[in-house]
Amino acid sequence: MPLPLYLLASAVFAMGTSEFMLAGLLPDIASDFDVSVGTAGALTPAFAIGMVVGAPMVAVLARNWPGRRALLWFVVVFAAAHAVGAVTTSFAVLFATRVVAASANAGFLAVAVTAAAGLVPPHRKGRALAVLLSGTTVATIAGVPGGSVLGSAFGWRAAFWAVAVLCLPAAFGILKGVPAGHGGAGATGRQALREEFAQLARPRLVLVMLLGALVNAATFGSLTFLAPVVTDGAGLSESWIPVALVLFGAGSFVGVTVAGRLSDRSPGPVVAWAGPLLLIGWPAAAVLAHEPVALLTLVFVQGALSFALGGTLITRVLYEAAGAPTMAGSYATAALNVGAVAGPVVGAATLGTGAGALGPLWASGSLVAVALLIAFPLLTVVTAGRSAEVRR
C-alpha cells in the first residue's frame, strides 16, 4: 500500500478520536458550561448528523478542487474548529464547532475514500479502504481512551487541543505525500454532477448503501452504550469500560484488516460467514452479559465481525458507484454515517424497556437480522464482482 494512504489514515485517526471521545467528556463539559448532561449530549448527534448531511454537500462543493487541496483544507478547518471549541466559553459556539468539524470530517472522508481508491489498482479498492478505515479502528483502541484519560487529568479542553495538534502532522503529510492532482475532478473529465447523482437511482447501489447503513447502525448502536452493558450487565467497575472499548477497537482493527484482503476478490464469503456470526453474537452477548469473561470475549469478536462485514459492504458501495467518480466517496460516507446516527437512536429507545442496559445488544441483533433478510436472497447482487465497477 502506498505511503499517502497511511497519511490519510492518520487524519482519519484524529477525526475518529474526536467523534467518539465525547462519551467520556460529557460530564466535565456539562459542568463547565452549567448545562445538563443531556444537553451536553446533544453534541454527539450534532456531529453525526453533520457527517450525514455534510458528506454529499461538501463533496459537491469540493468536486472541482484538486484532491490534495481539498484534503488539506478539510484537515485545517477540522483542526481550527477544535481550537475554537477548546477556548470558547459559549455552549452555542461549542455546538457550532461540532457541526463545522463534522462537515469537514465528512468532506475529508468523501474525498479520501475516492482518493484512496485511486491510489491503488482498481481491484484493490477493498484493501485501500481497509487501510483508511484502520484510522477509525485505531482511534477506538488508543485515541478514545487516551482522550478520556487526558480529559480526566487536564480537563475536556485539553482533549480538544490534542485533536487539533494531531491534525498538524496529517496536514503536513497530505501536503508532501498526496499527489497534487490526485482525486480531483480533472482526472475524471469533469463528469456532469447530474450524471453522478443519477447513479443513486441504480437499485444495486441503493441496496448496498442500505445494507451498509443497517450493519453500521447495529455496530454503533451497541458501541455507544457499551459502558452500561459493562457496569450494569456484567457488574464490573467503571475502570473496565476503557478495557471493553479497547477490546472492541482491537477486534475492529483485525476485522477490517482481514476483510480488506477479501472484500475485493471474495466478498461473498465475507457476507455469508460474517453476517450469520454477527447475528448470533449480539444476542449471545446479551444472554452472557453477566459472565464478564464471555462478554469481553464477545466484545472483541463482535468488533471484528462488525467491521469486517460493514467494511466489505462500504467497499461494495465504491464498486457500484464507479459511475460517480467524484461523489462515490460521499455515498459510502453517507451510508456509514446514517448507520452511526440511526443505531444509537434505536439503542437508546430500548434502554427504557424490560431489557434495560442490554437493550442495545438485542436491537443490534435485530438490525443485523433485517440486513441479512434483505441480503441473502440477493447475495449474488450484493457481492457482484469487479464488473460492477465499470457499469455506468
Side-chain angles (χ1 to χ4, degrees):
M1 292 287 105
L3 177 61
L5 193 54
Y6 292 95
L7 298 174
L8 295 177
S10 69
V12 174
F13 166 74
M15 293 176 177
T17 297
S18 172
E19 183 174 5
F20 302 124
M21 71 180 183
L22 283 189
L25 302 177
L26 288 181
D28 195 10
I29 292 174
S31 176
D32 196 3
F33 287 99
D34 194 25
V35 298
S36 69
V37 173
T39 299
L43 297 172
T44 298
F47 193 95
I49 292 171
M51 288 280 287
V52 174
V53 177
M57 289 183 59
V58 180
V60 169
L61 292 174
R63 68 187 299 266
N64 292 324
W65 297 358
R68 185 173 70 182
R69 181 196 299 175
L71 292 168
L72 183 61
W73 271 109
F74 288 139
V75 171
V76 170
V77 170
F78 188 84
H82 282 76
V84 172
V87 300
T88 185
T89 57
S90 166
F91 183 78
V93 172
L94 179 62
F95 187 93
T97 66
R98 296 304 287 171
V99 176
V100 171
S103 298
N105 189 355
F108 180 88
L109 278 178
V111 177
V113 166
T114 303
L119 287 168
V120 298
H123 62 279
R124 303 187 79 184
K125 286 183 179 180
R127 290 195 64 181
L129 184 61
V131 172
L132 191 68
L133 290 180
S134 69
T136 298
T137 61
V138 172
T140 62
I141 298 171
V144 174
S148 296
V149 170
L150 190 63
S152 298
F154 302 103
W156 68 270
R157 296 178 189 274
F160 272 59
W161 278 118
V163 169
V165 171
L166 280 174
C167 291
L168 299 182
F172 180 80
I174 289 167
L175 186 62
K176 295 297 183 181
V178 176
H182 210 90
T188 67
R190 295 182 181 274
Q191 185 169 348
L193 183 61
R194 64 178 178 275
E195 294 179 16
E196 299 207 39
F197 277 134
Q199 294 295 306
L200 290 172
R202 295 184 61 244
R204 298 169 68 104
L205 175 57
V206 174
L207 174 63
V208 291
M209 288 179 67
L210 172 62
L211 296 176
L214 284 169
V215 170
N216 280 290
T219 302
F220 289 100
S222 284
L223 177 60
T224 301
F225 300 103
L226 191 56
V229 171
V230 170
T231 55
D232 299 344
L236 296 172
S237 66
E238 291 185 359
S239 62
W240 282 93
I241 295 174
V243 175
L245 289 172
V246 168
L247 284 172
F248 189 92
S252 65
F253 181 79
V254 171
V256 79
T257 301
V258 173
R261 298 177 179 274
L262 299 173
S263 58
D264 289 312
R265 64 180 186 274
S266 304
V270 176
V271 176
W273 285 96
L277 291 173
L278 190 62
L279 173 60
I280 295 169
W282 288 125
V287 171
L288 299 173
H290 62 285
E291 298 288 346
V293 174
L295 175 63
L296 293 176
T297 301
L298 283 168
V299 164
F300 175 87
V301 172
Q302 292 301 94
L305 293 172
S306 294
F307 274 77
L309 182 58
T312 296
L313 291 170
I314 296 302
T315 298
R316 302 318 302 169
V317 173
L318 294 182
Y319 278 112
E320 292 298 337
T326 68
M327 295 298 295
S330 70
Y331 300 160
T333 302
L336 192 156
N337 283 286
V338 164
V341 172
V345 172
V346 173
T350 67
L351 294 174
T353 67
L358 303 180
L361 300 178
W362 291 106
S364 292
S366 299
L367 288 167
V368 174
V370 172
L372 295 185
L373 286 173
I374 297 171
F376 273 97
L378 303 170
L379 188 59
T380 56
V381 175
V382 174
T383 60
R386 298 171 193 164
S387 60
E389 166 184 11
V390 296
R391 288 193 177 93
R392 296 292 187 268

